[in-house]
Amino acid sequence: MNKILVINGPNLNLLGTREPEIYGSTTLDDINKMLKVQADKLGVKIDFIQSNIEGEIVTAIQNARAVYDFILLNAAAFTHYSVAIRDAISAIDVPVIEIHLSNVHAREEFRHHSVIAPVVLGQISGFGVDSYIAALDIAVRKIRGDIK
Ligand code: DQA
């Protein structure tokens, strides 16, 4: 069975109460449950990691080698400055989709730049929980060869 790893970065454990006007009122647990239902429907295995610690995310990306077929990554604030996470993505051959709940390009200037964008397959930003659902759908269709 194909396996997908969802990695969420700093402060995303506070979803639901964290700036709900920006990030919505859905908790991370709710998002993961929705993704699990969708993964079951699509017939893939899905695992979840959340960490506030950059090094733990680097290690999770490294450990995904030869285990996972795809990574869905919301690196949160690390998106904008973590060269270590960017290098970890470059170091492995597991494809990564970059996810954001909010439209980072419509927010503060410092959120417009993603250091990981050049080394991921693509970015989905601005659709709330549906950014994750869309990423899962694309990952599965890529794995199956339905899309190039
Ligand atoms: C975020 C956007 C980032 O700029 C921010 O630091 C986050 C969440 C998003 O999902 O919209 O923590 O990645």
Side-chain angles (χ1 to χ4, degrees), residues 14-30:
L14 299 182
L15 284 178
T17 55
R18 174 193 182 199
E19 300 180 274
E21 64 289 355
I22 297 173
Y23 298 115
S25 52
T26 312
T27 66
L28 187 57
D29 201 41
D30 292 335

Side-chain angles (χ1 to χ4, degrees), residues 8-12 15 18-19 22-23 73-81 98-104 107-108 110-113 124-128 131-132:
N8 279 289
N11 301 306
L12 293 171
L15 284 178
R18 174 193 182 199
E19 300 180 274
I22 297 173
Y23 298 115
L73 171 65
N74 186 346
F78 291 144
T79 305
H80 311 298
Y81 66 91
E98 176 183 343
I99 296 171
H100 301 287
L101 291 147
S102 63
N103 178 356
V104 285
R107 299 182 61 196
E108 303 95 322
F110 69 88
R111 296 186 204 275
H112 298 181
H113 184 64
I124 303 176
S125 175
F127 299 100
S131 291
Y132 289 85

Side-chain angles (χ1 to χ4, degrees), residues 43-90:
V44 294
K45 190 171 179 327
I46 194 160
D47 292 320
F48 305 98
I49 292 174
Q50 188 278 327
S51 178
N52 295 323
I53 300 166
E54 185 179 18
E56 286 185 358
I57 295 173
V58 169
T59 300
I61 292 168
Q62 290 182 5
N63 290 344
R65 271 175 309 165
V67 178
Y68 289 95
D69 299 288
F70 243 92
I71 297 173
L72 312 184
L73 171 65
N74 186 346
F78 291 144
T79 305
H80 311 298
Y81 66 91
S82 176
V83 176
I85 290 175
R86 176 196 163 118
D87 285 352
I89 296 168
S90 290

